Amino acid sequence: MSEANTTQTEDASQRTTDDAGGAIGGSAGRTTTGESEERIEDHWRNYEFAGEPKLSVEDLDVYYGEEQALQSVSMEIPEESVTALIGPSGCGKSTYLRCLNRMNDRIKSARVDGSVQLEGEELYQDGVDLVELRRRIGMVFQSPNPFPKSIRDNVSYGPRKHGDISTGLLPKLLGRDDTEQREELVERCLRQAALWEEVQDRLDDNALGLSGGQQQRLCIARCLAVDPDVILMDEPASALDPIATAKIEDLIEELAEEYTVVVVTHNMQQAARISDQTAVFLTGGELVEYGETDQVFEDPESQRVEDYISGKFG
Amino acid sequence: MSTIDDTGVVAGVARLRNATTLPTMALSLLTVLMGWLVLFQQVGETNEYLGLPIVELFAISVLVQGLAIGGLGVASYVGALQSTSDRTAGLFTGAFVGSLWAVVTAVLVTVVAGLRMVYWPGSSVWIFSGIPVPLGILLSLLGGVVGFLAVVLPREDLGATLPVSALLVPLGMFALVGPLTVPWTYEPGWTTVVFPGSEVLPFAFFVTSLLGCWTLAKISEGFGATGRQRGAYYLIGVSVAATLGVLGMLVYFIVDKGFATLSTGASFDGWGGRLVLPVVDWAVPWFDANLPFVFNQPGGLFVDVPGVWPAILGTIWLVIGALVVAVPLGIGAAIFLTEYVERGRITQLVEVVTNGLWSTPSIVFGLFGMAFLMPRLSNGGRSMIVAQLVLGFMLLPLVLITSREAIISVPDEYRDASAALGVSRWKTVRSVVLPAAMPGVITGVILGVGRIAGETAPLLLVFGGQPYPSTKSPVSGGKGILESFSFSLQPPFITNSALTERGTALPFQLYTSITAGSSPKPEVFSLSEFGWGTALVLLLVVMGFFAIGVASRLYFRRKLNYE
Ligand SMILES: Nc1ncnc2c1ncn2[C@@H]1O[C@H](COP(=O)(O)OP(=O)(O)OP(=O)(O)O)[C@@H](O)[C@H]1O
Ligand SMILES: [Mg+2]
């Protein structure tokens, strides 16, 4: 009883000091907001890199009804690298990510202006095959969304529906049963997503019975199974413990050897650790700064970005 | 026993309260149960128990309840009984008790003053006798309002008890010393209907004891929030039990009446029989049993026990046909409306129209079948195929509505996840959305089958042939529907002579038996014996369909949950 009480008071005192710090930070924040009329200079957002861009985004505006969620974002994403998107909650990171594989088409109120090119091919034009496009640009959602199917069926879902793997009675009769390939694929993807150890004995269980963090890794495995060129991840480690997070970070770095990875994260250290380049969005849906990760974190050009990174401004 | 510890007084009071309320509650529950049984004539209203007629026992029970409730309420009010009474008993209790007061006032007015129709419409004759109807209505409303206020205005321990007591105690007394006895009849006066005491009294005891039980449950927890909680628990429990009881009674009634017919001439001699499978003509081992009422023809020279086999087959084929028509169309339309069309005017319109179709009387569908389908199919006469289509059209709206609901309730996350994996919309629907919606879809189909299997009206118009076919008609076990398909190179390529025949089905058979006024073989079954037997078989067939439906729903749910 008494122990709990002391911890409580400790917590409380800590909170007060935090508050005090917050107040100081807040005043600093206010000065920056005073300066937040700072003009965003184009060269802050110009990131020069060698090689071809995998994705190039130009003048992207997104509106939800009347409300503008992204303001004229332009940005080129190099291939076989990790790009981190950071910024305060509600600044449009998920929105931006969804533009890259046209998942915004599925939101009725969303309207997208501008251009996104995948290897020089315009995505926002008539005649683009969305099914094929999303096969090439995979996505892991912010909240885990496994299917109400077994773990095995979840991982092998994409390839089975694309016809790359056929199992079941009919293929068996036709002598084209890919059960072995499927098992290999399931194991490989689950291992990559750092989930294999935990679920190898229960591949037939319903995926909805997994914990939130396990579900998130399952969704990563499911995305990997399709073998896309570009992988978009919306806070893939937000529900994970440090060990699983470390594994996912390793996975992302590993993936960057073959794939182009775009990651949204709220964790600055994580962004600094895993990414090659970092884009900072700030409230209002503006891309403020984009550049090599080290440079953005150590010597940002925008005052607002510096405040945000050092935790003074959210 | 009476050692007083530190909480002795409180515990003593609680013990006293429980000592009074719990036995009285048991008494009221028993009265509710017995009143219900008497009401449904499972227990005779003149039976005697413990040397007393059952009505007098009821009266004593109600009296005891009334006195206990009133006494405990007053005791709580003066502080002799510890309670956590609220300021008021609440609007719900007020409305409940108030409406009972209104009913009692109305009965009193009609019995004491007499109430006659004041004006006979059309005859322009005014009859004055007793007090005019409007005044009577006004008086009973007044009684209701007084009861309501008596409940709502005082503190809870008085409001929840005394108005109840005021209903229970007089009822008990009048039933004990008269005039409320079994020979007594209630003649409202404004209608020619007469309610015998043997019905009115058990009903009155049932309702008042329910009220008593509810109130006692509240008292037993010392009123307040916990008291209401306990009261609601009992009220709901007893209501559920009564509802299930009515259903059980209904089934019991049919089984009771029909079983003798069903088992006439039945025998079971273990395994050793043979069953010849249709179409392939293989004989497989089967048990050697005899159930003539089920497997016999209703008429014919060599039939000793008339049976309902053609009608059973007819019902089964009708349901199968209707399912074949309605399920794919309904699910398909639901998929189209939810997955491929934006929600808007058109989907709303379709929704309104399907709801309208579902509530359209079945005879209208029958007329449509007769006027539109019959001339085009089946050589212009009544036939199986037309009946199947008509029932299918009847089933269609329900399948559509329930499938739509089920598909809409599948979370969008699944669709998003599938789309993000580069899977096309149709494949997503087939492999994610439909499996998740399947249990809901099947629930709808089960409900629909229950309705169409018992449908009679449209069959009169488009299906019904002889009530008691004596020769083996195609549907009735001659050459069956499956064997009657024949193929040709000319359109329509497939013909099925059995589908264009008339036939009979269980509900239709029941109807025609009653209109015909006699059973097929009056020397074996009387009309009512034959009828009850048919009803029982119909019940079993419908339950068989339900069982299939529930099992498949379970299967899909299992598959979804990997239980
Ligand atoms: N479906 C939607 N309909 C309407 N407005 C939306 C929708 N999705 C997002 N928005 C709005 O767009 C803005 C950006 O949202 P977005 O989800 O992209 O933020 P975010 O940067 O991903 O935030 P978080 O870090 O909290 O995930 C928010 O103001 C949000 O309210
Ligand atoms: Mg987001």
Side-chain angles (χ1 to χ4, degrees):
Chain A
M1 250 331 242
S2 61
E3 246 181 48
N5 270 337
T6 43
T7 32
Q8 256 177 8
T9 33
E10 257 174 37
D11 271 4
S13 64
Q14 230 168 9
R15 211 170 299 131
T16 23
T17 44
D18 272 3
D19 280 353
I24 298 163
S27 62
R30 232 168 284 134
T31 42
T32 23
T33 351
E35 288 165 343
S36 90
E37 306 306 320
E38 76 169 352
R39 281 191 48 81
I40 302 169
E41 314 228 352
D42 276 344
H43 68 88
W44 299 350
R45 310 188 285 199
N46 265 347
Y47 171 48
E48 305 286 343
F49 54 86
E52 286 296 298
K54 185 81 178 178
L55 284 161
S56 40
V57 178
E58 225 169 286
D59 284 332
L60 194 70
D61 291 310
V62 179
Y63 304 85
Y64 291 113
E66 294 293 291
E67 202 188 328
Q68 188 163 9
L70 278 185
Q71 297 190 13
S72 186
V73 175
S74 299
M75 148 177 195
E76 298 200 321
I77 296 172
E79 63 179 353
E80 292 173 6
S81 65
V82 179
T83 308
L85 307 179
I86 61 174
S89 185
C91 69
K93 304 179 298 292
S94 300
T95 303
Y96 178 71
L97 212 59
R98 279 200 301 268
C99 288
L100 299 183
N101 64 348
R102 288 191 62 171
M103 283 300 279
N104 270 336
D105 290 21
R106 301 175 60 78
I107 298 174
K108 235 178 155 186
S109 63
R111 189 160 59 79
V112 179
D113 274 346
S115 128
V116 178
Q117 296 185 342
L118 174 66
E119 293 175 343
E121 223 178 292
E122 177 60 44
L123 302 187
Y124 285 88
Q125 65 179 352
D126 291 345
V128 172
D129 181 359
L130 291 184
V131 174
E132 182 57 32
L133 164 69
R134 290 177 187 143
R135 228 172 126 168
R136 291 180 64 189
I137 308 183
M139 182 167 198
V140 177
F141 291 80
Q142 186 160 7
S143 45
N145 53 1
F147 299 122
K149 295 173 181 294
S150 70
I151 295 172
R152 177 185 283 116
D153 284 353
N154 261 281
V155 177
S156 61
Y157 179 81
R160 275 188 294 127
K161 295 302 142 191
H162 297 150
D164 300 342
I165 282 182
S166 39
T167 54
L169 197 61
L170 189 66
K172 228 172 237 164
L173 289 179
L174 294 175
R176 284 207 321 238
D177 184 48
D178 298 333
T179 309
E180 254 169 57
Q181 283 99 306
R182 184 191 62 187
E183 292 305 293
E184 277 167 26
L185 176 88
V186 168
E187 180 171 349
R188 178 172 56 78
C189 295
L190 286 174
R191 274 193 197 283
Q192 278 186 309
L195 190 59
W196 175 251
E197 309 289 322
E198 285 155 71
V199 301
Q200 54 177 328
D201 301 325
R202 43 192 274 223
L203 291 177
D204 287 318
D205 287 5
N206 192 347
L208 295 184
L210 295 175
S211 77
Q214 288 172 329
Q215 290 186 5
Q216 210 165 21
R217 279 175 282 161
L218 180 66
C219 292
I220 294 176
R222 186 178 63 183
C223 173
L224 294 176
V226 179
D227 196 27
D229 297 353
V230 181
I231 300 178
L232 311 173
M233 294 185 175
D234 204 341
E235 299 188 41
S238 62
L240 302 186
D241 66 308
I243 299 170
T245 304
K247 285 185 187 163
I248 293 299
E249 289 180 7
D250 288 346
L251 167 69
I252 292 174
E253 283 180 288
E254 203 179 294
L255 287 175
E257 287 166 18
E258 270 182 76
Y259 305 88
T260 307
V261 185
V262 185
V263 187
V264 172
T265 174
H266 276 296
N267 182 332
M268 310 280 175
Q269 284 84 8
Q270 189 174 58
R273 269 198 302 270
I274 60 175
S275 68
D276 302 305
Q277 55 276 336
T278 299
V280 187
F281 289 77
L282 289 182
T283 315
E286 289 172 303
L287 172 62
V288 177
E289 193 156 345
Y290 178 42
E292 207 171 304
T293 298
D294 292 345
Q295 184 259 314
V296 170
F297 277 97
E298 276 156 27
D299 184 22
E301 308 197 58
S302 154
Q303 180 63 39
R304 282 197 291 161
V305 170
E306 183 167 355
D307 288 344
Y308 174 67
I309 286 172
S310 54
K312 287 180 186 166
F313 164 66
Chain B
M1 231 352 234
S2 61
T3 46
I4 294 175
D5 48 30
D6 50 344
T7 56
V9 181
V10 177
V13 170
R15 217 177 291 136
L16 183 73
R17 196 174 63 199
N18 289 346
T20 347
T21 51
L22 294 185
T24 328
M25 261 164 80
L27 186 67
S28 57
L29 279 177
L30 187 67
T31 314
V32 166
L33 177 71
M34 292 303 287
W36 193 86
L37 286 177
V38 174
L39 192 60
F40 283 91
Q41 297 178 349
Q42 298 303 308
V43 172
E45 66 269 8
T46 49
N47 284 12
E48 294 197 2
Y49 299 94
L50 308 171
L52 283 175
I54 191 162
V55 175
E56 275 180 35
L57 289 173
F58 281 159
I60 293 171
S61 156
V62 170
L63 197 59
V64 168
Q65 290 174 53
L67 291 176
I69 288 170
L72 287 166
V74 171
S76 159
Y77 186 70
V78 299
L81 188 74
Q82 205 203 18
S83 69
T84 52
S85 173
D86 276 357
R87 219 176 38 71
T88 164
L91 295 180
F92 179 73
T93 315
F96 195 100
V97 177
S99 50
L100 282 180
W101 272 57
V103 170
V104 169
T105 320
V107 171
L108 279 182
V109 166
T110 51
V111 169
V112 175
L115 191 62
R116 292 289 182 268
M117 205 61 174
V118 222
Y119 174 71
W120 190 253
S123 68
S124 69
V125 177
W126 290 75
I127 305 165
F128 288 100
S129 170
I131 61 168
V133 169
L135 187 59
I137 292 177
L138 208 66
L139 281 176
S140 59
L141 277 183
L142 199 67
V145 170
V146 169
F148 176 78
L149 293 179
V151 172
V152 174
L153 289 184
R155 221 177 77 172
E156 187 187 9
D157 43 12
L158 286 190
T161 54
L162 291 187
V164 174
S165 199
L167 287 173
L168 267 59
V169 173
L171 174 68
M173 275 181 22
F174 285 129
L176 260 188
V177 301
L180 298 183
T181 52
V182 173
W184 173 79
T185 56
Y186 172 49
E187 297 163 38
W190 42 268
T191 153
T192 50
V193 180
V194 170
F195 299 96
S198 60
E199 292 295 326
V200 176
L201 283 183
F203 184 68
F205 291 129
F206 174 76
V207 173
T208 47
S209 296
L210 195 59
L211 186 64
C213 176
W214 180 31
T215 311
L216 284 164
K218 282 197 228 176
I219 298 175
S220 75
E221 293 289 323
F223 302 101
T226 43
R228 286 182 196 197
Q229 163 89 14
R230 171 63 75 92
Y233 178 76
Y234 274 87
L235 197 62
I236 292 170
V238 173
S239 317
V240 169
T243 317
L244 290 181
V246 170
L247 286 179
M249 191 68 86
L250 208 79
V251 173
Y252 171 75
F253 199 65
I254 295 176
V255 172
D256 188 37
K257 296 257 185 190
F259 188 73
T261 313
L262 190 63
S263 55
T264 302
S267 62
F268 182 79
D269 302 321
W271 288 90
R274 288 222 156 301
L275 179 77
V276 180
L277 291 180
V279 189
V280 285
D281 274 344
W282 286 339
V284 292
W286 195 246
F287 46 79
D288 184 13
N290 208 358
L291 206 53
F293 183 72
V294 171
F295 292 106
N296 274 7
Q297 301 287 324
L301 263 182
F302 306 105
V303 174
D304 45 353
V305 179
V308 290
W309 186 236
I312 294 176
L313 280 182
T315 293
I316 291 177
W317 276 116
L318 283 178
V319 169
I320 291 177
L323 288 177
V324 166
V325 172
V327 170
L329 274 181
I331 296 181
I335 290 174
F336 182 74
L337 285 173
T338 46
E339 303 289 318
Y340 289 88
V341 186
E342 292 282 310
R343 271 187 82 86
R345 281 276 158 73
I346 296 185
T347 52
Q348 266 169 11
L349 188 72
V350 172
E351 206 167 318
V352 171
V353 171
T354 42
N355 285 339
L357 276 179
W358 176 239
S359 14
T360 303
S362 56
I363 191 81
V364 177
F365 283 93
L367 272 177
F368 165 75
M370 192 166 91
F372 185 82
L373 295 176
M374 250 161 58
R376 286 167 177 77
L377 295 160
S378 76
N379 320 324
R382 298 181 215 165
S383 71
M384 174 65 110
I385 180 104
V386 173
Q388 286 174 327
L389 284 173
V390 165
L391 293 184
F393 292 156
M394 279 179 57
L395 185 59
L396 187 57
L398 185 71
V399 175
L400 176 55
I401 294 168
T402 48
S403 310
R404 222 169 86 89
E405 290 299 321
I407 292 175
I408 286 176
S409 68
V410 174
D412 266 342
E413 277 87 58
Y414 297 164
R415 300 184 179 90
D416 283 346
S418 184
L421 290 168
V423 174
S424 68
R425 191 175 282 197
W426 169 238
K427 279 182 181 162
T428 304
V429 168
R430 227 185 38 197
S431 41
V432 180
V433 176
L434 267 190
M438 219 51 205
V441 173
I442 291 175
T443 305
V445 173
I446 293 176
L447 286 177
V449 165
R451 181 180 170 188
I452 59 165
E455 201 51 74
T456 320
L459 299 188
L460 292 176
L461 300 180
V462 299
F463 184 47
Q466 279 175 296
Y468 307 130
S470 54
T471 52
K472 295 200 164 193
S473 75
V475 193
S476 62
K479 207 172 167 219
I481 284 187
L482 287 181
E483 293 102 320
S484 301
F485 280 104
S486 59
F487 303 89
S488 66
L489 283 176
Q490 277 85 42
F493 305 112
I494 304 176
T495 52
N496 188 326
S497 57
L499 283 179
T500 57
E501 298 275 336
R502 297 172 176 205
T504 179
L506 287 165
F508 172 77
Q509 169 123 48
L510 197 56
Y511 172 81
T512 45
S513 310
I514 293 166
T515 43
S518 79
S519 85
K521 269 195 192 320
E523 62 276 19
V524 183
F525 291 133
S526 73
L527 173 59
S528 81
E529 279 169 348
F530 191 75
W532 281 115
T534 314
L536 176 57
V537 172
L538 175 58
L539 194 72
L540 292 176
V541 168
V542 170
M543 283 192 179
F545 278 117
F546 278 14
I548 296 173
V550 170
S552 52
R553 182 171 60 188
L554 217 63
Y555 167 78
F556 281 109
R557 209 169 266 164
R558 280 263 163 80
K559 224 171 119 181
L560 213 57
N561 295 331
Y562 291 88
E563 275 161 351

